[in-house]
Amino acid sequence: MADEITVTVCTTRGSVPREVGATLHVGANHIDGTIGGGALEWEAIRLARQMLADGTAQLQRTLPLGPDLGQCCGGVVTLDFIAGAHGIEPTDPPIWIWGSGHVGRAIAATLAPFETHQVTLIDDAPERLPSPVPPRVTPLIAADMPRAVNHARTDAHHFILTYSHDIDLALCDALLRHGFTSCGLIGSATKWARFRKRLTQMGHSDAQISRILCPIGDPSLGKHPQAIAIGVAARLLDRQMLQESAEAPTSGGT
């Protein structure tokens, strides 16, 4: 018997809280994810837990948000309920977080709910990884982290924030040779100036080196690990929204 029901938004009409593909995972004593909160989510949780109690494997419900649930959105949502843990297949470039200190853990926990990205958290010692690792985050123990770069996809996003400046520099060098969609390095202006000089001596051009962003996040938010993580997530979402906007069809007059 399944111990979890996956609730997925499969169709929408009108104004609704979440997009098609949003998921909610419901167990007898836990929930993970969201389909928008409010009365819609409470009804989804009720139905999912009733399925667990009855042993039902699959269900579909279409819910008008205004008349049936009293939500001001007023649209209509169709939900699929399926027994078992069925996550969204990641469609966006993966995210690799190098270093599981305070900032690495905060970034992993902040990005984990975005199921369209596969998140990997890397360190060279298992005791530095969080326990438990956030759901949908893959831990990777690599005794030689720069060598592990070869296992990353060349379209991945990378955040470098290990305990060692030497390892950080070696990761920058390895990633510049390997390829990436984006790369961020935690550090001060002084650290980045030294790294730029060293990377130039390693044979990288100014244009290549400038693809690495330092510092990461949004400095105006402060240096608290969660503030850095929020800034990192905002940059990623902004980049994703810009791409989606560029790819969206447009209509125009003649």
Coordinates of all heavy atoms in Angstrom, one line a residue, residues 1-9 21-35 40-61 79-88 115 136:
M1 N 0.8 -1.2 0.0 CA 0.0 0.0 0.0 C 0.9 1.3 0.0 O 1.9 1.3 0.7 CB -0.9 0.0 1.2 CG -1.9 1.2 1.3 SD -2.9 1.2 2.7 CE -3.9 -0.3 2.4
A2 N 0.5 2.2 -0.8 CA 1.3 3.5 -0.9 C 1.2 4.2 0.4 O 0.2 4.2 1.1 CB 0.8 4.3 -2.1
D3 N 2.3 4.9 0.7 CA 2.3 5.8 1.9 C 2.3 7.2 1.5 O 2.5 8.1 2.4 CB 3.5 5.5 2.8 CG 4.9 5.7 2.1 OD1 4.9 6.1 0.9 OD2 5.9 5.4 2.7
E4 N 2.1 7.5 0.2 CA 2.1 8.9 -0.2 C 1.2 9.0 -1.5 O 1.2 8.1 -2.3 CB 3.5 9.4 -0.5 CG 3.6 10.9 -0.9 CD 5.1 11.3 -1.0 OE1 5.7 11.5 0.1 OE2 5.5 11.5 -2.1
I5 N 0.5 10.2 -1.6 CA -0.2 10.5 -2.8 C 0.4 11.7 -3.4 O 0.7 12.7 -2.7 CB -1.7 10.8 -2.5 CG1 -2.4 9.6 -1.8 CG2 -2.5 11.1 -3.7 CD1 -2.5 8.3 -2.6
T6 N 0.6 11.6 -4.7 CA 1.1 12.8 -5.5 C 0.0 13.5 -6.2 O -0.8 12.9 -6.9 CB 2.2 12.4 -6.5 OG1 3.3 11.8 -5.9 CG2 2.7 13.6 -7.3
V7 N -0.2 14.8 -5.8 CA -1.3 15.6 -6.4 C -0.7 16.5 -7.4 O 0.2 17.2 -7.1 CB -2.1 16.4 -5.4 CG1 -3.3 17.1 -6.0 CG2 -2.5 15.5 -4.2
T8 N -1.2 16.5 -8.7 CA -0.6 17.3 -9.8 C -1.7 18.1 -10.4 O -2.8 17.6 -10.7 CB 0.1 16.4 -10.8 OG1 1.0 15.5 -10.2 CG2 0.8 17.2 -11.9
V9 N -1.4 19.4 -10.7 CA -2.3 20.2 -11.4 C -2.1 19.8 -12.9 O -1.1 20.0 -13.5 CB -1.9 21.7 -11.3 CG1 -2.8 22.6 -12.2 CG2 -2.0 22.1 -9.8
G21 N 1.4 21.3 -13.8 CA 2.6 20.6 -13.4 C 3.0 20.8 -12.0 O 3.8 20.1 -11.5
A22 N 2.4 21.8 -11.3 CA 2.7 22.0 -9.9 C 2.2 20.7 -9.1 O 1.2 20.2 -9.4 CB 2.0 23.2 -9.3
T23 N 3.0 20.4 -8.1 CA 2.7 19.1 -7.4 C 2.7 19.3 -5.9 O 3.3 20.2 -5.3 CB 3.8 18.0 -7.7 OG1 5.1 18.5 -7.3 CG2 3.7 17.6 -9.1
L24 N 2.0 18.4 -5.2 CA 1.8 18.4 -3.8 C 1.9 16.9 -3.4 O 1.3 16.1 -4.0 CB 0.5 18.9 -3.3 CG 0.1 18.8 -1.9 CD1 1.0 19.6 -1.0 CD2 -1.4 19.1 -1.7
H25 N 2.8 16.6 -2.5 CA 3.0 15.2 -2.0 C 2.4 15.1 -0.6 O 2.7 15.8 0.3 CB 4.5 14.8 -2.0 CG 5.1 15.0 -3.3 ND1 5.1 14.1 -4.3 CD2 5.9 16.0 -3.8 CE1 5.8 14.5 -5.4 NE2 6.2 15.7 -5.1
V26 N 1.4 14.2 -0.5 CA 0.7 14.1 0.8 C 0.8 12.7 1.4 O 0.6 11.7 0.8 CB -0.9 14.3 0.5 CG1 -1.6 14.3 1.8 CG2 -1.1 15.7 -0.2
G27 N 1.3 12.7 2.6 CA 1.4 11.4 3.4 C 0.4 11.5 4.6 O -0.2 12.6 4.8
A28 N 0.3 10.5 5.4 CA -0.6 10.5 6.5 C -0.2 11.6 7.5 O -1.1 12.2 8.1 CB -0.6 9.1 7.2
N29 N 1.1 11.9 7.6 CA 1.5 12.8 8.6 C 2.5 13.9 8.1 O 3.1 14.6 8.8 CB 2.3 12.1 9.8 CG 1.4 11.1 10.5 OD1 0.3 11.5 11.0 ND2 1.7 9.8 10.4
H30 N 2.5 14.1 6.7 CA 3.4 15.1 6.2 C 2.8 15.6 4.9 O 2.0 14.8 4.2 CB 4.8 14.5 6.0 CG 4.9 13.6 4.8 ND1 4.6 12.2 4.9 CD2 5.2 13.8 3.5 CE1 4.8 11.7 3.8 NE2 5.2 12.6 2.9
I31 N 3.2 16.8 4.5 CA 3.0 17.3 3.1 C 4.3 17.9 2.6 O 5.1 18.4 3.4 CB 1.8 18.3 3.0 CG1 2.1 19.5 3.9 CG2 0.5 17.6 3.4 CD1 1.1 20.6 3.7
D32 N 4.5 17.9 1.3 CA 5.6 18.5 0.7 C 5.2 19.1 -0.6 O 4.5 18.4 -1.4 CB 6.7 17.5 0.5 CG 8.0 18.0 -0.2 OD1 8.3 19.2 0.2 OD2 8.6 17.3 -1.0
G33 N 5.7 20.3 -0.9 CA 5.3 21.0 -2.2 C 4.0 21.8 -2.0 O 3.4 21.8 -0.8
T34 N 3.4 22.3 -3.0 CA 2.2 23.1 -2.9 C 1.5 23.2 -4.3 O 2.2 23.3 -5.3 CB 2.4 24.5 -2.4 OG1 1.2 25.2 -2.3 CG2 3.4 25.3 -3.2
I35 N 0.2 23.2 -4.3 CA -0.5 23.5 -5.5 C -1.2 24.9 -5.4 O -2.1 25.2 -6.2 CB -1.6 22.4 -5.8 CG1 -2.5 22.2 -4.6 CG2 -0.8 21.1 -6.3 CD1 -3.7 21.3 -5.0
L40 N -8.3 25.2 -1.9 CA -8.0 24.2 -2.9 C -7.0 23.2 -2.3 O -7.2 21.9 -2.5 CB -7.4 24.9 -4.1 CG -6.8 23.9 -5.2 CD1 -7.9 23.1 -5.8 CD2 -6.0 24.7 -6.2
E41 N -5.9 23.6 -1.6 CA -5.0 22.7 -1.1 C -5.5 21.9 0.0 O -5.2 20.7 0.1 CB -3.7 23.5 -0.7 CG -2.5 22.6 -0.4 CD -1.2 23.3 -0.6 OE1 -0.9 23.5 -1.8 OE2 -0.5 23.6 0.3
W42 N -6.3 22.5 0.9 CA -6.9 21.7 2.0 C -7.8 20.6 1.5 O -7.8 19.5 2.0 CB -7.7 22.7 2.9 CG -6.9 23.4 3.9 CD1 -6.6 24.7 3.9 CD2 -6.1 22.8 5.0 NE1 -5.8 25.1 5.0 CE2 -5.4 23.9 5.6 CE3 -5.9 21.6 5.5 CZ2 -4.6 23.7 6.7 CZ3 -5.1 21.4 6.6 CH2 -4.5 22.4 7.2
E43 N -8.6 20.9 0.4 CA -9.4 19.9 -0.2 C -8.6 18.8 -0.8 O -8.9 17.6 -0.7 CB -10.4 20.5 -1.2 CG -11.3 19.6 -1.9 CD -12.3 18.9 -1.0 OE1 -12.4 19.2 0.2 OE2 -13.0 18.0 -1.5
A44 N -7.5 19.2 -1.5 CA -6.6 18.2 -2.1 C -6.0 17.3 -1.0 O -5.9 16.0 -1.2 CB -5.5 18.9 -2.9
I45 N -5.6 17.9 0.1 CA -5.0 17.1 1.2 C -6.1 16.1 1.8 O -5.8 14.9 2.0 CB -4.5 18.0 2.3 CG1 -3.2 18.8 1.8 CG2 -4.1 17.2 3.5 CD1 -2.8 19.9 2.7
R46 N -7.3 16.6 1.9 CA -8.4 15.8 2.4 C -8.6 14.6 1.5 O -8.7 13.4 2.0 CB -9.7 16.6 2.6 CG -10.8 15.8 3.3 CD -12.1 16.6 3.2 NE -12.6 16.6 1.8 CZ -13.3 15.6 1.2 NH1 -13.5 14.5 1.9 NH2 -13.7 15.7 0.0
L47 N -8.7 14.8 0.2 CA -9.0 13.8 -0.7 C -7.8 12.8 -0.8 O -8.0 11.6 -0.8 CB -9.2 14.3 -2.1 CG -10.5 15.1 -2.3 CD1 -10.5 15.9 -3.6 CD2 -11.7 14.2 -2.3
A48 N -6.6 13.3 -0.7 CA -5.4 12.4 -0.8 C -5.4 11.5 0.4 O -5.1 10.3 0.3 CB -4.1 13.2 -0.9
R49 N -5.6 12.0 1.6 CA -5.6 11.2 2.8 C -6.7 10.2 2.9 O -6.6 9.1 3.4 CB -5.5 12.1 4.0 CG -4.1 12.8 4.2 CD -4.0 13.6 5.4 NE -2.6 14.0 5.5 CZ -2.1 15.1 6.1 NH1 -3.0 15.9 6.7 NH2 -0.8 15.3 6.2
Q50 N -7.9 10.6 2.3 CA -8.9 9.6 2.2 C -8.5 8.5 1.2 O -8.9 7.3 1.5 CB -10.2 10.3 1.6 CG -11.4 9.4 1.6 CD -11.8 9.0 3.0 OE1 -12.0 9.9 3.9 NE2 -12.0 7.7 3.3
M51 N -7.8 8.8 0.1 CA -7.3 7.7 -0.7 C -6.3 6.8 0.0 O -6.4 5.6 -0.1 CB -6.5 8.4 -1.9 CG -7.4 9.1 -2.9 SD -6.4 9.9 -4.2 CE -5.6 8.5 -5.0
L52 N -5.5 7.4 0.9 CA -4.5 6.5 1.6 C -5.3 5.6 2.6 O -5.0 4.4 2.7 CB -3.6 7.4 2.5 CG -2.5 8.2 1.7 CD1 -1.8 9.2 2.6 CD2 -1.5 7.3 1.0
A53 N -6.4 6.1 3.2 CA -7.2 5.3 4.1 C -7.9 4.2 3.4 O -8.1 3.1 3.9 CB -8.1 6.2 4.9
D54 N -8.4 4.5 2.2 CA -9.2 3.6 1.4 C -8.4 2.6 0.5 O -8.9 1.7 0.0 CB -10.2 4.3 0.5 CG -11.2 5.2 1.3 OD1 -11.3 4.9 2.5 OD2 -11.8 6.1 0.7
G55 N -7.1 3.0 0.3 CA -6.3 2.2 -0.6 C -6.5 2.5 -2.0 O -6.2 1.7 -2.9
T56 N -7.1 3.7 -2.4 CA -7.3 4.1 -3.7 C -6.0 4.5 -4.4 O -5.2 5.2 -3.9 CB -8.3 5.3 -3.8 OG1 -9.5 4.9 -3.1 CG2 -8.7 5.6 -5.2
A57 N -5.9 4.0 -5.7 CA -4.6 4.2 -6.4 C -4.6 5.5 -7.2 O -3.6 6.1 -7.5 CB -4.2 3.0 -7.2
Q58 N -5.8 5.9 -7.7 CA -5.8 7.0 -8.7 C -7.2 7.7 -8.6 O -8.2 7.0 -8.4 CB -5.5 6.4 -10.1 CG -5.3 7.6 -11.1 CD -4.6 7.0 -12.4 OE1 -4.3 5.8 -12.5 NE2 -4.4 7.9 -13.4
L59 N -7.1 9.0 -8.9 CA -8.3 9.8 -8.8 C -8.1 11.1 -9.6 O -7.0 11.5 -9.7 CB -8.6 10.1 -7.3 CG -9.9 10.9 -7.0 CD1 -11.1 9.9 -7.2 CD2 -9.9 11.3 -5.5
Q60 N -9.2 11.6 -10.1 CA -9.1 12.9 -10.8 C -10.3 13.7 -10.4 O -11.4 13.2 -10.3 CB -9.0 12.8 -12.3 CG -8.8 14.2 -13.0 CD -8.7 14.0 -14.5 OE1 -9.7 14.1 -15.2 NE2 -7.5 13.8 -15.0
R61 N -10.0 15.0 -10.0 CA -11.1 15.9 -9.6 C -10.9 17.3 -10.3 O -9.8 17.8 -10.4 CB -11.1 16.1 -8.1 CG -11.6 14.9 -7.3 CD -13.2 14.9 -7.4 NE -13.7 13.8 -6.6 CZ -13.8 12.5 -6.9 NH1 -13.4 12.2 -8.1 NH2 -14.4 11.6 -6.1
L79 N -7.2 18.3 -10.9 CA -6.1 17.7 -10.2 C -6.1 16.2 -10.4 O -7.1 15.5 -10.4 CB -6.2 17.9 -8.7 CG -6.3 19.4 -8.2 CD1 -6.6 19.4 -6.7 CD2 -5.0 20.1 -8.6
D80 N -4.9 15.6 -10.7 CA -4.6 14.2 -10.7 C -4.1 13.8 -9.4 O -3.1 14.4 -8.9 CB -3.7 13.8 -11.8 CG -4.3 13.7 -13.2 OD1 -5.6 13.5 -13.2 OD2 -3.6 13.9 -14.2
F81 N -4.6 12.7 -8.8 CA -4.2 12.1 -7.6 C -3.6 10.7 -7.9 O -4.4 9.8 -8.4 CB -5.3 12.0 -6.5 CG -5.9 13.3 -6.1 CD1 -6.7 14.0 -6.9 CD2 -5.6 13.8 -4.9 CE1 -7.3 15.2 -6.5 CE2 -6.2 15.0 -4.4 CZ -7.0 15.7 -5.3
I82 N -2.4 10.4 -7.7 CA -1.8 9.1 -8.0 C -1.0 8.6 -6.8 O -0.2 9.4 -6.2 CB -0.8 9.2 -9.2 CG1 -1.6 9.7 -10.4 CG2 -0.2 7.9 -9.5 CD1 -0.7 9.9 -11.7
A83 N -1.2 7.4 -6.4 CA -0.5 6.8 -5.3 C 1.0 6.6 -5.6 O 1.3 6.2 -6.7 CB -1.1 5.4 -4.9
G84 N 1.8 7.0 -4.6 CA 3.2 6.9 -4.8 C 3.9 8.2 -5.0 O 3.2 9.2 -5.2
A85 N 5.2 8.3 -4.9 CA 5.9 9.5 -5.1 C 6.3 9.7 -6.5 O 7.3 9.1 -7.0 CB 7.2 9.5 -4.2
H86 N 5.6 10.6 -7.2 CA 5.8 10.8 -8.6 C 6.2 12.3 -8.8 O 5.4 13.2 -8.7 CB 4.5 10.6 -9.5 CG 4.0 9.2 -9.3 ND1 4.5 8.1 -10.1 CD2 3.1 8.6 -8.5 CE1 3.9 7.0 -9.8 NE2 3.1 7.3 -8.8
G87 N 7.5 12.5 -8.9 CA 8.0 13.9 -9.0 C 8.0 14.4 -10.5 O 7.7 13.6 -11.4
I88 N 8.2 15.7 -10.6 CA 8.2 16.2 -12.0 C 9.6 15.9 -12.6 O 10.6 16.0 -11.9 CB 8.1 17.8 -11.9 CG1 6.7 18.1 -11.4 CG2 8.3 18.4 -13.3 CD1 6.5 19.6 -11.1
E115 N 11.1 21.9 -8.6 CA 11.3 20.5 -9.0 C 11.8 20.5 -10.5 O 12.2 19.4 -10.9 CB 10.0 19.7 -8.9 CG 9.6 19.5 -7.5 CD 8.4 18.6 -7.3 OE1 8.5 17.4 -7.6 OE2 7.3 19.2 -7.1
R136 N 14.7 16.0 -2.7 CA 15.0 16.3 -4.1 C 16.4 16.9 -4.3 O 16.7 17.4 -5.4 CB 13.9 17.2 -4.8 CG 12.6 16.5 -4.9 CD 11.6 17.4 -5.6 NE 11.2 18.6 -4.9 CZ 10.3 18.6 -3.9 NH1 9.6 17.5 -3.6 NH2 10.0 19.7 -3.3

